[in-house]
Amino acid sequence: MTDKRTTIFAALLFIAPIVVAWYGFSVAAAAGLVVLLLLLRWMITLSGFVAPEKTPELVLGTISASHFVEKVRWCMDRLGVDYVEKAAAGTLGAFYRGRTVPQLKVRTGGVRSVIGNSPDILRYLYGRYLAERPERAAFLEPTTERLDFEKKLDAYGRSLQVWVYYHLLPDRDLTLHAWGVNSPETPSWQRPLLRLLFPVQAALIRFSFRINDAHYASGVARIEELLGNVNADLADGRASVLGGEERNYTDYAFAAFTGLWLMPQGYGGGRADATRIERDQTPAGMRADIERWVEAYPAAVNYVEALYTRRKEGL
Ligand SMILES: N[C@@H](CCC(=O)N[C@@H](CS)C(=O)NCC(=O)O)C(=O)O
């Protein structure tokens, strides 16, 4: 409800024991400080009702180089809602705050709600905007078939995370670039932290995503299975992977995830340019996978590129 105020309060909580030790507070004085802090916390809660912070109605928490973010970002653009993006440095939020991106913050009057996980965000957007703009929201309808395909796509997205880090992590500079160290969108205080914490972050990623030869190989097998199936489905020239002439959110999700390795022009809708890595800058093994996929799955590649051309043209 009161983001900035609670952050300041959290900082005070960390400073308080230092103040107590520094000035040699008695037990009674330390207890008094605790009461003061509790009172301050209560005031912050009340201030949320009396003077709510003026935040935009929809804020999308992002890191710019994220295919899960791109899935939601594209759907929000397609839906035509006004929102602002708040970018953070890659991986810091996950390992120190326990949150993933995309994260949607919704303000309704004085109340702020936070939704994580791309499928949950898309379900919210459909429910929220269906009555207001039924035609624009129809592509978000979660039919059984779409939900089933979305699960497979999200698994493809997770395998791509293993694939990306397997290739990228050994190259510190490239990884830091992807995490936003050179991006003006990344808060300036987070950029030096990224450099400082790189060995910790890399170790955490290696551990949590199980980055090793065997997991990479099984991830590539899963990626190729999905690409093979979608490529076969698209061979008849259909507009939507699931069939028919109307595109739906799973088509954008497929394109957003595939865009992570294909890097078509316009990836990120102009909001991921500062973390972009061109194919000729990628490590040799990564480039070899990309080139193999481009050759093996032409229908899927053409489909994603065509969708990105339409995205650039605002269609
Ligand atoms: N199940 C989540 C997965 C999202 C996810 O894994 N996001 C990654 C970026 S692609 C993330 O949050 N990384 C944390 C960070 O970089 O702070 C979703 O569908 O939104």
Side-chain angles (χ1 to χ4, degrees):
M1 190 189 298
T2 49
D3 262 3
K4 246 181 236 144
R5 289 166 231 182
T6 41
T7 307
I8 293 170
F9 180 75
L12 286 177
L13 274 187
F14 286 113
I15 294 166
I18 300 171
V19 171
V20 169
W22 192 279
Y23 292 103
F25 276 27
S26 66
V27 173
L33 185 64
V34 170
V35 171
L36 266 180
L37 284 169
L38 283 171
L39 274 174
L40 181 63
R41 185 65 192 83
W42 183 36
M43 292 299 132
I44 288 172
T45 302
L46 292 181
S47 77
F49 294 105
V50 180
E53 275 183 25
K54 302 227 176 321
T55 54
E57 198 179 313
L58 290 177
V59 177
L60 185 64
T62 69
I63 57 169
S64 66
S66 157
H67 50 315
F68 282 98
V69 164
E70 175 70 347
K71 165 186 170 186
V72 167
R73 174 196 279 141
W74 199 342
C75 288
M76 290 179 77
D77 293 344
R78 191 84 191 74
L79 186 60
V81 289
D82 281 334
Y83 67 99
V84 294
E85 281 195 21
K86 197 163 173 247
T91 73
L92 296 183
F95 292 116
Y96 299 101
R97 291 183 53 215
R99 70 99 185 85
T100 57
V101 290
Q103 186 186 62
L104 187 68
K105 288 187 177 161
V106 183
R107 184 178 53 71
T108 314
V111 176
R112 275 194 108 191
S113 313
V114 181
I115 311 169
N117 268 335
S118 57
D120 296 340
I121 296 175
L122 297 190
R123 296 310 88 82
Y124 167 79
L125 292 171
Y126 179 64
R128 164 71 181 79
Y129 290 99
L130 179 65
E132 208 173 276
R133 47 184 93 182
E135 277 175 24
R136 290 210 78 144
F139 81 102
L140 286 171
E141 187 186 350
T143 64
T144 312
E145 196 188 19
R146 291 176 188 175
L147 288 174
D148 188 45
F149 186 40
E150 185 181 28
K151 275 200 191 108
K152 292 182 185 144
L153 287 174
D154 287 348
Y156 169 54
R158 287 192 297 277
S159 296
L160 281 170
Q161 287 171 321
V162 175
W163 173 80
V164 134
Y165 281 125
Y166 181 83
H167 287 304
L168 225 52
L169 271 187
D171 189 324
R172 181 180 185 272
D173 288 344
L174 223 46
T175 307
L176 284 175
H177 178 76
W179 285 347
V181 85
N182 304 314
S183 168
E185 305 301 324
T186 306
S188 48
W189 64 271
Q190 292 181 11
R191 281 183 246 159
L193 270 186
L194 270 181
R195 288 186 201 285
L196 185 74
L197 293 171
F198 179 79
V200 181
Q201 300 308 102
L204 288 169
I205 291 276
R206 275 202 184 89
F207 175 74
S208 56
F209 286 97
R210 291 189 292 126
I211 306 298
N212 56 50
D213 290 348
H215 201 208
Y216 161 75
S218 60
V220 167
R222 275 193 296 271
I223 291 168
E224 293 183 351
E225 188 187 346
L226 184 118
L227 285 171
N229 291 339
V230 172
N231 191 66
D233 288 343
L234 289 171
D236 61 7
R238 60 182 68 182
S240 169
V241 179
L242 290 174
E245 287 314 300
E246 292 300 322
R247 289 192 188 86
N248 64 74
Y249 73 90
T250 60
D251 297 314
Y252 303 114
F254 173 67
F257 291 168
T258 302
L260 182 74
W261 60 265
L262 190 59
M263 269 297 148
Q265 287 306 316
Y267 190 77
R271 279 152 282 167
D273 294 348
T275 51
R276 196 180 164 85
I277 299 173
E278 298 301 340
R279 198 179 302 170
D280 59 5
Q281 298 171 308
T282 55
M286 188 176 214
R287 205 174 324 138
D289 283 344
I290 297 172
E291 280 163 7
R292 195 176 67 252
W293 292 342
V294 168
E295 208 175 303
Y297 310 110
V301 166
N302 291 341
Y303 182 78
V304 171
E305 280 174 346
L307 235 59
Y308 266 99
T309 303
R310 291 174 64 86
R311 175 155 165 71
K312 264 201 308 185
E313 289 163 359
L315 295 169

